[in-house]
Amino acid sequence: MDYQKIITEVYSEVKSEENKGKIPDYIPEIANISAEKFGVSFTDLNHHSFGFGDFEEKFSIQSISKVFALSFVYEKLGEELWHRVDVEPSGNPFNSLVQLEADKGIPRNPFINAGALVICDILLEICSNPKEELLSYIRNLSEEEDINFNEKVAASEMQNSFRNTAMCNFMKSFGNIRNKPDAVIELYCHLCAIEMTCKQLSKSFLYLANEGEKPSNMAQILSPSKVKRVNAILLTCGFYDESGEFSFRVGLPGKSGVGGGIIAIYPHHYCIAVWSPKLNAKGNSYRGMKLLEEFTTQTGESIF
Ligand code: GLN
């Protein structure tokens, strides 16, 4: 399969079409990005890698980082983790509070904001320096040292984190947040403010395509059984209330972020990362979804 040729074609096709959607304005520091940024990067298990457009430019990975945080915590805590966060699709927007009351403070899954806040709370419990440990985890996966938080983005989100703070306090009232809500929010906003390129992302997530093993040095990041589970949650919950649509159109496990990034994993083969900042109404990159849909249509490859 000539992936490079297929991606060249779908990239220019999507680029030539109208760029629909809207850049979110609720995190002022990421609202200024050019709407026309568009990058894609492909990396397979042999580290054969190529990209197009703005694939070497850093952007705010936002909720994509929830996958790193989940892997980190899951490896350390094991199945005990699922007492504090569930594995069901929420069918609701990523920042929704509505189900938390009926579910007694247990978030539906680790990829909605409430779930990621619980993961951050656990990180504060198990790490002496969670921010540094997270960064070194990601630096190890990407094999690049220059992966950092954008402090301006983190500060901007902290100043506007009224919904996330409400969620955190609400879960604390049920006993599912154990640290001070302010500390959890601070860590969460930093987690969302990590900056990476499409190229770095498509390399970093290869362990999810390789039964948990980092292909370059065979280090086991997660067990094969845990990888199966993380990919299952990505497929069913990675795009919030558009997870069914992404699965229907693309057919791969994946994760989006409000910075306009999307990663998708084809188990046993490759990882692909796309970035285009304009989001559809469900908070997922308009062009990112389109490109991936066209890509798997052309290759005929999906997990189904
Ligand atoms: N930082 C964003 C928020 O908490 C992350 C949401 C996302 O990327 N979907 O709202």
Side-chain angles (χ1 to χ4, degrees):
M1 184 85 66
D2 193 343
Y3 294 114
Q4 195 152 349
K5 183 165 173 278
I6 294 173
I7 294 181
T8 316
E9 282 165 11
V10 297
Y11 179 86
S12 46
E13 184 189 319
V14 174
K15 201 174 162 72
S16 69
E17 291 165 5
E18 187 190 349
N19 187 9
K20 294 190 191 152
K22 200 172 157 285
I23 296 186
D25 52 14
Y26 76 101
I27 306 172
E29 197 59 38
I30 61 169
N32 312 321
I33 195 87
S34 157
E36 294 314 307
K37 295 283 179 194
F38 190 23
V40 55
S41 174
F42 171 105
T43 308
D44 72 13
L45 297 185
N46 301 317
H47 282 278
H48 172 57
S49 185
F50 59 85
F52 296 98
D54 303 304
F55 74 108
E56 288 178 300
E57 184 168 329
K58 288 195 175 178
F59 63 95
S60 195
I61 69 168
Q62 293 291 316
S63 286
I64 296 175
S65 63
K66 291 172 181 168
V67 190
F68 293 128
L70 171 66
S71 296
F72 184 101
V73 165
Y74 190 19
E75 183 55 25
K76 293 221 177 339
L77 236 66
E79 307 310 316
E80 205 187 303
L81 170 64
W82 310 120
H83 295 136
R84 294 186 59 187
V85 53
D86 208 344
V87 295
E88 288 298 336
S90 71
N92 272 301
F94 58 83
N95 57 4
S96 172
L97 286 118
V98 292
Q99 289 161 332
L100 280 175
E101 174 130 51
D103 295 343
K104 300 191 170 45
I106 306 290
R108 286 282 168 111
N109 66 69
F111 296 143
I112 50 173
N113 290 11
L117 286 163
V118 169
I119 300 283
C120 285
D121 187 55
I122 297 171
L123 280 167
L124 286 165
E125 288 178 275
I126 64 176
C127 299
S128 42
N129 192 340
K131 282 197 244 171
E132 273 315 307
E133 289 179 44
L134 261 175
L135 282 183
S136 61
Y137 186 75
I138 301 171
R139 286 173 185 154
N140 171 43
L141 289 171
S142 62
E143 297 182 329
E144 291 197 33
E145 282 306 303
D146 75 325
I147 292 183
N148 290 296
F149 306 112
N150 180 323
E151 291 293 341
K152 281 191 182 159
V153 172
S156 174
E157 183 156 4
M158 271 188 271
Q159 280 160 18
N160 294 280
S161 69
F162 307 109
R163 286 189 78 90
N164 289 331
T165 302
M167 253 173 249
C168 204
N169 281 309
F170 199 41
M171 290 190 289
K172 180 131 182 117
S173 77
F174 289 100
N176 201 19
I177 292 288
R178 299 182 180 162
N179 293 277
K180 291 201 169 106
D182 284 355
V184 178
I185 292 289
E186 205 253 350
L187 178 57
Y188 172 85
C189 292
H190 278 82
L191 177 68
C192 293
I194 291 169
E195 291 189 319
M196 291 174 77
T197 67
C198 286
K199 187 174 178 182
Q200 291 169 337
L201 284 169
S202 69
K203 182 175 177 190
S204 302
F205 284 111
L206 285 179
Y207 71 100
L208 292 178
N210 198 36
E211 301 198 348
E213 207 178 83
K214 192 176 142 191
S216 63
N217 64 0
M218 287 151 69
Q220 198 73 40
I221 306 298
L222 274 180
S223 71
S225 146
K226 289 193 174 91
V227 163
K228 177 198 78 179
R229 291 171 175 203
V230 170
N231 280 332
I233 309 170
L234 284 170
L235 185 77
T236 51
C237 311
F239 296 79
Y240 322 111
D241 46 341
E242 201 170 36
S243 300
E245 182 84 12
F246 187 82
S247 178
F248 182 82
R249 282 166 50 182
V250 179
L252 296 175
K255 184 75 201 80
S256 63
V258 292
I262 298 183
I263 55 127
I265 288 128
Y266 185 37
H268 308 296
H269 293 89
Y270 53 75
C271 175
I272 176 165
V274 198
W275 172 46
S276 169
K278 278 193 174 181
L279 309 181
N280 65 19
K282 302 284 170 95
N284 299 314
S285 169
Y286 172 78
R287 277 186 161 167
M289 288 212 23
K290 213 138 184 114
L291 183 141
L292 290 169
E293 178 180 10
E294 284 303 316
F295 175 64
T296 54
T297 303
Q298 300 286 328
T299 61
E301 291 176 348
S302 77
I303 64 163
F304 299 106

